[in-house]
Amino acid sequence: MVVYNFKKIRAVPTSKDFCDIVLSKTQRKTPTVIHKHYAISRIRSFYMRKVRFTQAEFHDRLSAILEDFPRIEDIHPFYADLMNVLYDRDHYKLALGKMAFARQLVDNLGKEYVKLLKFGDSLYRCKQLKRAALGRMCTLMRKQGSELAYLNEVRQHLSRLPSIDPTARTLLICGFPNVGKSSFMNKLTRANSEVQPFAFTTRQLLVGHTDYQFLRWQVVDTPGILDHPLDDRNTIEMQSITALAHLQAAIIYIIDISETCGFTIAEQVSLFNSIKPLFHNKPLFIVMNKIDVVRPEMLSDEYKALLQTLALDGVTFATMSAMTEEGVSNVKNMACEAQLKMRVHEREAHGKLQKVANRLTVTQPIVMPGVERPATIPAQLGAMPEEGAEPRVLERDLERALGGPGVYSADMRKYWDLANPDWRHDVIPEIMDGHNIADFIDPDILERLEELEREEEERERLAEEAGAVYDPDNDALEAEEQELIDAIRSRKKLIQQERKLKRSSKPQLSSLMLEKAAKKKSKAKAHQATVEARGGLIEMASEDNPGSNIYDDPNHPRSVVSLPRKRKSSQIARAAVEQSSLSRKSHVSPAIMNRTPQQEGFRDLAQKTEAIKKQYSSQKQRNRDAKKGEGDHHVPNWKPKHLFSGKRGIGKTDWR
């Protein structure tokens, strides 16, 4: 079966739309942000990716056009000649050839500019090379505007062509315009071909389908043909000539004997003689139409003699009226029978039937005299029921007798295989003799119970020999066993804790950091011990020689004792208010506030309070910005670059 679905050919865009589609997809599918401070290798790869993507997109779309449109050399000669008649074979092949050449040029441009981009030394040079590459590709496609428009028209016309199978069983109707071809096709098939009282109502090939002997037949209605040389025939007539030349069909040549079509019988006979070579090796029927207006017997002797000249070998005459349907079914049956005989004869000539017959074997048993061969029933099926015996009652019969589907419920226990058939419909209890019946499913339960009792008796005997009282509920452990169990449990807990530490998502300090922290801690302890030792010496010296301690001398510059400064009452009140507000706002713990300033490295309480106040004031802005800490320098991206740059807005002409 040779059927081409030309409706699947995708639409061919214009040259402008072609470039817009490719460039828009390049903008959407490739990155759009690049900066001049990036590494030059990154800038080159950015623009090379755009050039390669555009080249690949042009290549794929041009390849799709070349694959969708049929190649004239690969399709049936009927469709090849039909396309030549409708679209001009040379123009069609030239348009597809230009598409293939444009694809090759686009590939060459892409390779050339990718090589140049590898030597780009700045963002500006790479950008200009990218612009040049995309611009040359678009210029090349704009030059193919006429070919793209032509191919789109061809696609639209191909999608409207009828689906004609050149190898199927076919009836082909031909003749002068307005002789009743479309009316005859409407009577044979379910087609609804337009019928009008003027010439060339049918301007292209039309297809309908009918059935004969449980087979599907296609009926092709051709446009009218005029009687003039082949070179003078137009595109509409050449479609009919192409169908007559390439379709192996039964030809029905219709003649209007009433001459109401506008052409005489002599002209119609002349047309038949001019296209007679196209009927070679095909069943041919000459059908005289419109017998409801003029009967064949009413024709003049001259016209009868003309019609008799058409009586060649294999030509069959028939009469009909497409208006009253007289003789329509007879013409159909005759044409279909002749077509079937021709197809069978072709298969016989090619030897196909013999090949099929060699694969078939029909066995005929030999009748032996004196030997009877009665019917044999296998023993597994049982004996044949006796005549007059009641048939077996089936579940379907019971269902019909007892209410039908939804009312009758089949008995699933009817064929249970039990020791006593009377047990089939017994109710199975859950509890029996005070026990769950499921406990008796284990067949070895009694043996296991006896084994447990023997083990219990053995333990009692051993306890009596040892002089102890056997207590089955006492499972006390010895001291060694208890110690071993405790060691196992502690080890198990330790392993679990180590696993938790390893699986923890919190960052763990490295061994180097832990070592540094331990060194700092040891240094701090040593420093503290030195300070305490010096403090003891100072105290001893002060006890032996009072006034010799310079740290206790308020007049000495290195003294830790500061003289009280006189402050006004307003300053004292303000300090008290600040101290109280600081304690409320800053949430400083009492333990920290109760430590002396000297222990924390401050001169006095005021200096410590001021330091705490500055600490919390410095954290306000960081907390307001939701920073993680002093090292958090992240800047939130309130306006993403890919949404607010690279696109032209209203009143903007700047672009990247």
Side-chain angles (χ1 to χ4, degrees), residues 301-334:
D301 296 338
E302 182 183 358
Y303 284 160
K304 289 180 180 180
L306 282 175
L307 293 175
Q308 289 298 324
T309 58
L310 304 179
L312 305 174
D313 294 337
V315 176
T316 305
F317 284 90
T319 59
M320 71 170 186
S321 172
M323 178 67 68
T324 61
E325 299 186 11
E326 180 184 354
V328 170
S329 59
N330 184 34
V331 172
K332 169 189 171 182
N333 296 339
M334 292 168 56

PDB file of all heavy atoms in Angstrom, residues 301-334:
ATOM      1  N   ASP A 301     -27.904   6.727 -37.913  1.00  0.00           N
ATOM      2  CA  ASP A 301     -27.000   5.675 -38.388  1.00  0.00           C
ATOM      3  C   ASP A 301     -25.551   6.150 -38.415  1.00  0.00           C
ATOM      4  O   ASP A 301     -24.622   5.364 -38.191  1.00  0.00           O
ATOM      5  CB  ASP A 301     -27.431   5.216 -39.790  1.00  0.00           C
ATOM      6  CG  ASP A 301     -28.815   4.575 -39.763  1.00  0.00           C
ATOM      7  OD1 ASP A 301     -29.213   4.117 -38.652  1.00  0.00           O
ATOM      8  OD2 ASP A 301     -29.459   4.540 -40.810  1.00  0.00           O
ATOM      9  N   GLU A 302     -25.361   7.422 -38.678  1.00  0.00           N
ATOM     10  CA  GLU A 302     -23.993   7.952 -38.704  1.00  0.00           C
ATOM     11  C   GLU A 302     -23.337   7.831 -37.335  1.00  0.00           C
ATOM     12  O   GLU A 302     -22.186   7.395 -37.226  1.00  0.00           O
ATOM     13  CB  GLU A 302     -24.033   9.412 -39.161  1.00  0.00           C
ATOM     14  CG  GLU A 302     -22.641  10.038 -39.257  1.00  0.00           C
ATOM     15  CD  GLU A 302     -22.733  11.500 -39.651  1.00  0.00           C
ATOM     16  OE1 GLU A 302     -23.868  11.986 -39.881  1.00  0.00           O
ATOM     17  OE2 GLU A 302     -21.657  12.156 -39.701  1.00  0.00           O
ATOM     18  N   TYR A 303     -24.078   8.228 -36.295  1.00  0.00           N
ATOM     19  CA  TYR A 303     -23.520   8.148 -34.936  1.00  0.00           C
ATOM     20  C   TYR A 303     -23.340   6.698 -34.502  1.00  0.00           C
ATOM     21  O   TYR A 303     -22.363   6.359 -33.803  1.00  0.00           O
ATOM     22  CB  TYR A 303     -24.418   8.889 -33.946  1.00  0.00           C
ATOM     23  CG  TYR A 303     -24.284  10.400 -34.040  1.00  0.00           C
ATOM     24  CD1 TYR A 303     -25.285  11.231 -33.535  1.00  0.00           C
ATOM     25  CD2 TYR A 303     -23.173  10.990 -34.618  1.00  0.00           C
ATOM     26  CE1 TYR A 303     -25.178  12.602 -33.599  1.00  0.00           C
ATOM     27  CE2 TYR A 303     -23.057  12.356 -34.702  1.00  0.00           C
ATOM     28  CZ  TYR A 303     -24.063  13.167 -34.190  1.00  0.00           C
ATOM     29  OH  TYR A 303     -23.938  14.531 -34.277  1.00  0.00           O
ATOM     30  N   LYS A 304     -24.261   5.844 -34.923  1.00  0.00           N
ATOM     31  CA  LYS A 304     -24.101   4.426 -34.574  1.00  0.00           C
ATOM     32  C   LYS A 304     -22.838   3.856 -35.227  1.00  0.00           C
ATOM     33  O   LYS A 304     -22.114   3.069 -34.609  1.00  0.00           O
ATOM     34  CB  LYS A 304     -25.327   3.631 -35.029  1.00  0.00           C
ATOM     35  CG  LYS A 304     -26.572   3.916 -34.206  1.00  0.00           C
ATOM     36  CD  LYS A 304     -27.745   3.078 -34.714  1.00  0.00           C
ATOM     37  CE  LYS A 304     -29.007   3.358 -33.905  1.00  0.00           C
ATOM     38  NZ  LYS A 304     -30.165   2.561 -34.391  1.00  0.00           N
ATOM     39  N   ALA A 305     -22.585   4.269 -36.437  1.00  0.00           N
ATOM     40  CA  ALA A 305     -21.380   3.785 -37.118  1.00  0.00           C
ATOM     41  C   ALA A 305     -20.113   4.306 -36.432  1.00  0.00           C
ATOM     42  O   ALA A 305     -19.110   3.587 -36.310  1.00  0.00           O
ATOM     43  CB  ALA A 305     -21.412   4.215 -38.585  1.00  0.00           C
ATOM     44  N   LEU A 306     -20.155   5.567 -35.964  1.00  0.00           N
ATOM     45  CA  LEU A 306     -19.003   6.109 -35.232  1.00  0.00           C
ATOM     46  C   LEU A 306     -18.746   5.332 -33.948  1.00  0.00           C
ATOM     47  O   LEU A 306     -17.596   5.022 -33.605  1.00  0.00           O
ATOM     48  CB  LEU A 306     -19.232   7.587 -34.906  1.00  0.00           C
ATOM     49  CG  LEU A 306     -19.021   8.586 -36.043  1.00  0.00           C
ATOM     50  CD1 LEU A 306     -19.412   9.987 -35.604  1.00  0.00           C
ATOM     51  CD2 LEU A 306     -17.566   8.565 -36.497  1.00  0.00           C
ATOM     52  N   LEU A 307     -19.815   5.013 -33.252  1.00  0.00           N
ATOM     53  CA  LEU A 307     -19.641   4.284 -31.984  1.00  0.00           C
ATOM     54  C   LEU A 307     -19.132   2.871 -32.240  1.00  0.00           C
ATOM     55  O   LEU A 307     -18.368   2.325 -31.430  1.00  0.00           O
ATOM     56  CB  LEU A 307     -20.966   4.239 -31.212  1.00  0.00           C
ATOM     57  CG  LEU A 307     -21.465   5.592 -30.684  1.00  0.00           C
ATOM     58  CD1 LEU A 307     -22.848   5.447 -30.054  1.00  0.00           C
ATOM     59  CD2 LEU A 307     -20.477   6.149 -29.650  1.00  0.00           C
ATOM     60  N   GLN A 308     -19.531   2.274 -33.377  1.00  0.00           N
ATOM     61  CA  GLN A 308     -19.061   0.925 -33.682  1.00  0.00           C
ATOM     62  C   GLN A 308     -17.571   0.891 -33.989  1.00  0.00           C
ATOM     63  O   GLN A 308     -16.917  -0.136 -33.826  1.00  0.00           O
ATOM     64  CB  GLN A 308     -19.851   0.347 -34.869  1.00  0.00           C
ATOM     65  CG  GLN A 308     -21.297  -0.003 -34.531  1.00  0.00           C
ATOM     66  CD  GLN A 308     -21.372  -1.080 -33.459  1.00  0.00           C
ATOM     67  OE1 GLN A 308     -20.538  -2.000 -33.410  1.00  0.00           O
ATOM     68  NE2 GLN A 308     -22.394  -0.962 -32.614  1.00  0.00           N
ATOM     69  N   THR A 309     -17.035   2.045 -34.427  1.00  0.00           N
ATOM     70  CA  THR A 309     -15.592   2.076 -34.691  1.00  0.00           C
ATOM     71  C   THR A 309     -14.767   1.964 -33.415  1.00  0.00           C
ATOM     72  O   THR A 309     -13.558   1.693 -33.470  1.00  0.00           O
ATOM     73  CB  THR A 309     -15.222   3.386 -35.400  1.00  0.00           C
ATOM     74  OG1 THR A 309     -15.609   4.504 -34.582  1.00  0.00           O
ATOM     75  CG2 THR A 309     -15.917   3.482 -36.756  1.00  0.00           C
ATOM     76  N   LEU A 310     -15.419   2.174 -32.280  1.00  0.00           N
ATOM     77  CA  LEU A 310     -14.705   2.086 -31.000  1.00  0.00           C
ATOM     78  C   LEU A 310     -14.641   0.662 -30.462  1.00  0.00           C
ATOM     79  O   LEU A 310     -13.986   0.417 -29.441  1.00  0.00           O
ATOM     80  CB  LEU A 310     -15.383   2.989 -29.942  1.00  0.00           C
ATOM     81  CG  LEU A 310     -15.520   4.468 -30.317  1.00  0.00           C
ATOM     82  CD1 LEU A 310     -16.224   5.215 -29.193  1.00  0.00           C
ATOM     83  CD2 LEU A 310     -14.146   5.076 -30.587  1.00  0.00           C
ATOM     84  N   ALA A 311     -15.344  -0.246 -31.126  1.00  0.00           N
ATOM     85  CA  ALA A 311     -15.400  -1.630 -30.638  1.00  0.00           C
ATOM     86  C   ALA A 311     -14.077  -2.319 -30.934  1.00  0.00           C
ATOM     87  O   ALA A 311     -13.885  -2.940 -31.974  1.00  0.00           O
ATOM     88  CB  ALA A 311     -16.574  -2.364 -31.303  1.00  0.00           C
ATOM     89  N   LEU A 312     -13.151  -2.194 -30.018  1.00  0.00           N
ATOM     90  CA  LEU A 312     -11.852  -2.839 -30.148  1.00  0.00           C
ATOM     91  C   LEU A 312     -11.812  -4.071 -29.265  1.00  0.00           C
ATOM     92  O   LEU A 312     -12.776  -4.399 -28.567  1.00  0.00           O
ATOM     93  CB  LEU A 312     -10.744  -1.851 -29.763  1.00  0.00           C
ATOM     94  CG  LEU A 312     -10.738  -0.514 -30.523  1.00  0.00           C
ATOM     95  CD1 LEU A 312      -9.691   0.407 -29.923  1.00  0.00           C
ATOM     96  CD2 LEU A 312     -10.467  -0.745 -31.995  1.00  0.00           C
ATOM     97  N   ASP A 313     -10.672  -4.736 -29.274  1.00  0.00           N
ATOM     98  CA  ASP A 313     -10.514  -5.909 -28.410  1.00  0.00           C
ATOM     99  C   ASP A 313     -10.500  -5.465 -26.948  1.00  0.00           C
ATOM    100  O   ASP A 313      -9.716  -4.584 -26.545  1.00  0.00           O
ATOM    101  CB  ASP A 313      -9.214  -6.637 -28.736  1.00  0.00           C
ATOM    102  CG  ASP A 313      -9.241  -7.232 -30.137  1.00  0.00           C
ATOM    103  OD1 ASP A 313     -10.363  -7.454 -30.631  1.00  0.00           O
ATOM    104  OD2 ASP A 313      -8.155  -7.451 -30.713  1.00  0.00           O
ATOM    105  N   GLY A 314     -11.339  -6.071 -26.152  1.00  0.00           N
ATOM    106  CA  GLY A 314     -11.386  -5.751 -24.731  1.00  0.00           C
ATOM    107  C   GLY A 314     -12.264  -4.583 -24.382  1.00  0.00           C
ATOM    108  O   GLY A 314     -12.338  -4.204 -23.204  1.00  0.00           O
ATOM    109  N   VAL A 315     -12.929  -3.949 -25.328  1.00  0.00           N
ATOM    110  CA  VAL A 315     -13.801  -2.804 -25.048  1.00  0.00           C
ATOM    111  C   VAL A 315     -15.219  -3.314 -24.834  1.00  0.00           C
ATOM    112  O   VAL A 315     -15.725  -4.107 -25.621  1.00  0.00           O
ATOM    113  CB  VAL A 315     -13.760  -1.781 -26.195  1.00  0.00           C
ATOM    114  CG1 VAL A 315     -14.739  -0.651 -25.939  1.00  0.00           C
ATOM    115  CG2 VAL A 315     -12.352  -1.249 -26.357  1.00  0.00           C
ATOM    116  N   THR A 316     -15.848  -2.845 -23.766  1.00  0.00           N
ATOM    117  CA  THR A 316     -17.211  -3.263 -23.419  1.00  0.00           C
ATOM    118  C   THR A 316     -18.100  -2.030 -23.427  1.00  0.00           C
ATOM    119  O   THR A 316     -17.750  -0.999 -22.839  1.00  0.00           O
ATOM    120  CB  THR A 316     -17.247  -3.926 -22.031  1.00  0.00           C
ATOM    121  OG1 THR A 316     -16.311  -5.006 -22.012  1.00  0.00           O
ATOM    122  CG2 THR A 316     -18.640  -4.439 -21.725  1.00  0.00           C
ATOM    123  N   PHE A 317     -19.281  -2.139 -24.094  1.00  0.00           N
ATOM    124  CA  PHE A 317     -20.244  -1.043 -24.129  1.00  0.00           C
ATOM    125  C   PHE A 317     -21.275  -1.257 -23.038  1.00  0.00           C
ATOM    126  O   PHE A 317     -21.655  -2.386 -22.708  1.00  0.00           O
ATOM    127  CB  PHE A 317     -20.933  -0.968 -25.497  1.00  0.00           C
ATOM    128  CG  PHE A 317     -20.071  -0.369 -26.567  1.00  0.00           C
ATOM    129  CD1 PHE A 317     -19.241  -1.165 -27.349  1.00  0.00           C
ATOM    130  CD2 PHE A 317     -20.088   0.996 -26.783  1.00  0.00           C
ATOM    131  CE1 PHE A 317     -18.454  -0.609 -28.330  1.00  0.00           C
ATOM    132  CE2 PHE A 317     -19.295   1.555 -27.778  1.00  0.00           C
ATOM    133  CZ  PHE A 317     -18.476   0.748 -28.546  1.00  0.00           C
ATOM    134  N   ALA A 318     -21.739  -0.127 -22.464  1.00  0.00           N
ATOM    135  CA  ALA A 318     -22.787  -0.179 -21.446  1.00  0.00           C
ATOM    136  C   ALA A 318     -23.560   1.122 -21.516  1.00  0.00           C
ATOM    137  O   ALA A 318     -23.082   2.133 -22.050  1.00  0.00           O
ATOM    138  CB  ALA A 318     -22.193  -0.379 -20.055  1.00  0.00           C
ATOM    139  N   THR A 319     -24.755   1.091 -20.980  1.00  0.00           N
ATOM    140  CA  THR A 319     -25.618   2.280 -20.948  1.00  0.00           C
ATOM    141  C   THR A 319     -26.075   2.508 -19.521  1.00  0.00           C
ATOM    142  O   THR A 319     -26.208   1.568 -18.719  1.00  0.00           O
ATOM    143  CB  THR A 319     -26.841   2.094 -21.860  1.00  0.00           C
ATOM    144  OG1 THR A 319     -27.581   0.944 -21.425  1.00  0.00           O
ATOM    145  CG2 THR A 319     -26.419   1.921 -23.314  1.00  0.00           C
ATOM    146  N   MET A 320     -26.336   3.797 -19.199  1.00  0.00           N
ATOM    147  CA  MET A 320     -26.818   4.126 -17.853  1.00  0.00           C
ATOM    148  C   MET A 320     -27.378   5.536 -17.867  1.00  0.00           C
ATOM    149  O   MET A 320     -27.194   6.303 -18.846  1.00  0.00           O
ATOM    150  CB  MET A 320     -25.696   4.035 -16.823  1.00  0.00           C
ATOM    151  CG  MET A 320     -24.664   5.132 -16.936  1.00  0.00           C
ATOM    152  SD  MET A 320     -23.518   5.179 -15.575  1.00  0.00           S
ATOM    153  CE  MET A 320     -22.586   6.666 -15.957  1.00  0.00           C
ATOM    154  N   SER A 321     -28.031   5.868 -16.756  1.00  0.00           N
ATOM    155  CA  SER A 321     -28.513   7.224 -16.521  1.00  0.00           C
ATOM    156  C   SER A 321     -28.160   7.587 -15.087  1.00  0.00           C
ATOM    157  O   SER A 321     -28.696   6.989 -14.137  1.00  0.00           O
ATOM    158  CB  SER A 321     -30.033   7.321 -16.738  1.00  0.00           C
ATOM    159  OG  SER A 321     -30.498   8.591 -16.334  1.00  0.00           O
ATOM    160  N   ALA A 322     -27.240   8.532 -14.913  1.00  0.00           N
ATOM    161  CA  ALA A 322     -26.842   8.942 -13.570  1.00  0.00           C
ATOM    162  C   ALA A 322     -27.962   9.673 -12.847  1.00  0.00           C
ATOM    163  O   ALA A 322     -27.967   9.732 -11.613  1.00  0.00           O
ATOM    164  CB  ALA A 322     -25.607   9.843 -13.647  1.00  0.00           C
ATOM    165  N   MET A 323     -28.932  10.185 -13.616  1.00  0.00           N
ATOM    166  CA  MET A 323     -30.044  10.885 -12.988  1.00  0.00           C
ATOM    167  C   MET A 323     -31.025   9.908 -12.365  1.00  0.00           C
ATOM    168  O   MET A 323     -31.407  10.033 -11.200  1.00  0.00           O
ATOM    169  CB  MET A 323     -30.749  11.762 -14.035  1.00  0.00           C
ATOM    170  CG  MET A 323     -31.956  12.510 -13.497  1.00  0.00           C
ATOM    171  SD  MET A 323     -31.527  13.771 -12.286  1.00  0.00           S
ATOM    172  CE  MET A 323     -30.676  14.952 -13.327  1.00  0.00           C
ATOM    173  N   THR A 324     -31.439   8.892 -13.126  1.00  0.00           N
ATOM    174  CA  THR A 324     -32.426   7.922 -12.628  1.00  0.00           C
ATOM    175  C   THR A 324     -31.779   6.675 -12.047  1.00  0.00           C
ATOM    176  O   THR A 324     -32.494   5.770 -11.590  1.00  0.00           O
ATOM    177  CB  THR A 324     -33.349   7.519 -13.784  1.00  0.00           C
ATOM    178  OG1 THR A 324     -32.565   6.900 -14.820  1.00  0.00           O
ATOM    179  CG2 THR A 324     -34.062   8.735 -14.357  1.00  0.00           C
ATOM    180  N   GLU A 325     -30.438   6.586 -12.070  1.00  0.00           N
ATOM    181  CA  GLU A 325     -29.671   5.452 -11.556  1.00  0.00           C
ATOM    182  C   GLU A 325     -29.942   4.169 -12.332  1.00  0.00           C
ATOM    183  O   GLU A 325     -29.670   3.067 -11.855  1.00  0.00           O
ATOM    184  CB  GLU A 325     -29.949   5.209 -10.064  1.00  0.00           C
ATOM    185  CG  GLU A 325     -29.583   6.381  -9.170  1.00  0.00           C
ATOM    186  CD  GLU A 325     -29.732   6.040  -7.710  1.00  0.00           C
ATOM    187  OE1 GLU A 325     -29.919   4.852  -7.387  1.00  0.00           O
ATOM    188  OE2 GLU A 325     -29.675   6.966  -6.881  1.00  0.00           O
ATOM    189  N   GLU A 326     -30.436   4.287 -13.547  1.00  0.00           N
ATOM    190  CA  GLU A 326     -30.653   3.105 -14.383  1.00  0.00           C
ATOM    191  C   GLU A 326     -29.318   2.629 -14.949  1.00  0.00           C
ATOM    192  O   GLU A 326     -28.602   3.383 -15.601  1.00  0.00           O
ATOM    193  CB  GLU A 326     -31.610   3.441 -15.525  1.00  0.00           C
ATOM    194  CG  GLU A 326     -31.892   2.260 -16.451  1.00  0.00           C
ATOM    195  CD  GLU A 326     -32.765   2.638 -17.622  1.00  0.00           C
ATOM    196  OE1 GLU A 326     -33.246   3.791 -17.641  1.00  0.00           O
ATOM    197  OE2 GLU A 326     -32.953   1.796 -18.528  1.00  0.00           O
ATOM    198  N   GLY A 327     -28.966   1.386 -14.692  1.00  0.00           N
ATOM    199  CA  GLY A 327     -27.738   0.793 -15.199  1.00  0.00           C
ATOM    200  C   GLY A 327     -26.483   1.175 -14.420  1.00  0.00           C
ATOM    201  O   GLY A 327     -25.382   0.743 -14.792  1.00  0.00           O
ATOM    202  N   VAL A 328     -26.595   1.945 -13.342  1.00  0.00           N
ATOM    203  CA  VAL A 328     -25.408   2.372 -12.588  1.00  0.00           C
ATOM    204  C   VAL A 328     -24.762   1.178 -11.896  1.00  0.00           C
ATOM    205  O   VAL A 328     -23.544   0.964 -11.977  1.00  0.00           O
ATOM    206  CB  VAL A 328     -25.790   3.470 -11.570  1.00  0.00           C
ATOM    207  CG1 VAL A 328     -24.620   3.749 -10.623  1.00  0.00           C
ATOM    208  CG2 VAL A 328     -26.198   4.747 -12.295  1.00  0.00           C
ATOM    209  N   SER A 329     -25.551   0.366 -11.200  1.00  0.00           N
ATOM    210  CA  SER A 329     -25.000  -0.799 -10.493  1.00  0.00           C
ATOM    211  C   SER A 329     -24.435  -1.819 -11.482  1.00  0.00           C
ATOM    212  O   SER A 329     -23.430  -2.492 -11.191  1.00  0.00           O
ATOM    213  CB  SER A 329     -26.076  -1.441  -9.621  1.00  0.00           C
ATOM    214  OG  SER A 329     -27.173  -1.858 -10.409  1.00  0.00           O
ATOM    215  N   ASN A 330     -25.053  -1.924 -12.681  1.00  0.00           N
ATOM    216  CA  ASN A 330     -24.547  -2.869 -13.677  1.00  0.00           C
ATOM    217  C   ASN A 330     -23.152  -2.452 -14.152  1.00  0.00           C
ATOM    218  O   ASN A 330     -22.244  -3.289 -14.297  1.00  0.00           O
ATOM    219  CB  ASN A 330     -25.524  -2.935 -14.857  1.00  0.00           C
ATOM    220  CG  ASN A 330     -25.087  -3.970 -15.879  1.00  0.00           C
ATOM    221  OD1 ASN A 330     -24.512  -5.005 -15.527  1.00  0.00           O
ATOM    222  ND2 ASN A 330     -25.342  -3.686 -17.157  1.00  0.00           N
ATOM    223  N   VAL A 331     -22.963  -1.152 -14.397  1.00  0.00           N
ATOM    224  CA  VAL A 331     -21.648  -0.658 -14.814  1.00  0.00           C
ATOM    225  C   VAL A 331     -20.618  -0.909 -13.720  1.00  0.00           C
ATOM    226  O   VAL A 331     -19.484  -1.327 -13.986  1.00  0.00           O
ATOM    227  CB  VAL A 331     -21.734   0.836 -15.167  1.00  0.00           C
ATOM    228  CG1 VAL A 331     -20.346   1.414 -15.418  1.00  0.00           C
ATOM    229  CG2 VAL A 331     -22.624   1.052 -16.388  1.00  0.00           C
ATOM    230  N   LYS A 332     -20.994  -0.661 -12.482  1.00  0.00           N
ATOM    231  CA  LYS A 332     -20.072  -0.881 -11.364  1.00  0.00           C
ATOM    232  C   LYS A 332     -19.664  -2.356 -11.278  1.00  0.00           C
ATOM    233  O   LYS A 332     -18.471  -2.679 -11.145  1.00  0.00           O
ATOM    234  CB  LYS A 332     -20.731  -0.432 -10.062  1.00  0.00           C
ATOM    235  CG  LYS A 332     -19.977  -0.842  -8.807  1.00  0.00           C
ATOM    236  CD  LYS A 332     -20.794  -0.556  -7.559  1.00  0.00           C
ATOM    237  CE  LYS A 332     -20.150  -1.169  -6.331  1.00  0.00           C
ATOM    238  NZ  LYS A 332     -20.950  -0.947  -5.110  1.00  0.00           N
ATOM    239  N   ASN A 333     -20.621  -3.258 -11.351  1.00  0.00           N
ATOM    240  CA  ASN A 333     -20.311  -4.686 -11.236  1.00  0.00           C
ATOM    241  C   ASN A 333     -19.411  -5.158 -12.380  1.00  0.00           C
ATOM    242  O   ASN A 333     -18.455  -5.923 -12.163  1.00  0.00           O
ATOM    243  CB  ASN A 333     -21.598  -5.500 -11.223  1.00  0.00           C
ATOM    244  CG  ASN A 333     -22.444  -5.192  -9.992  1.00  0.00           C
ATOM    245  OD1 ASN A 333     -21.935  -4.684  -8.984  1.00  0.00           O
ATOM    246  ND2 ASN A 333     -23.731  -5.479 -10.065  1.00  0.00           N
ATOM    247  N   MET A 334     -19.701  -4.710 -13.592  1.00  0.00           N
ATOM    248  CA  MET A 334     -18.887  -5.125 -14.729  1.00  0.00           C
ATOM    249  C   MET A 334     -17.442  -4.626 -14.583  1.00  0.00           C
ATOM    250  O   MET A 334     -16.482  -5.371 -14.822  1.00  0.00           O
ATOM    251  CB  MET A 334     -19.490  -4.584 -16.030  1.00  0.00           C
ATOM    252  CG  MET A 334     -20.828  -5.214 -16.412  1.00  0.00           C
ATOM    253  SD  MET A 334     -21.654  -4.324 -17.746  1.00  0.00           S
ATOM    254  CE  MET A 334     -20.405  -4.358 -19.011  1.00  0.00           C
TER     255      MET A 334
END
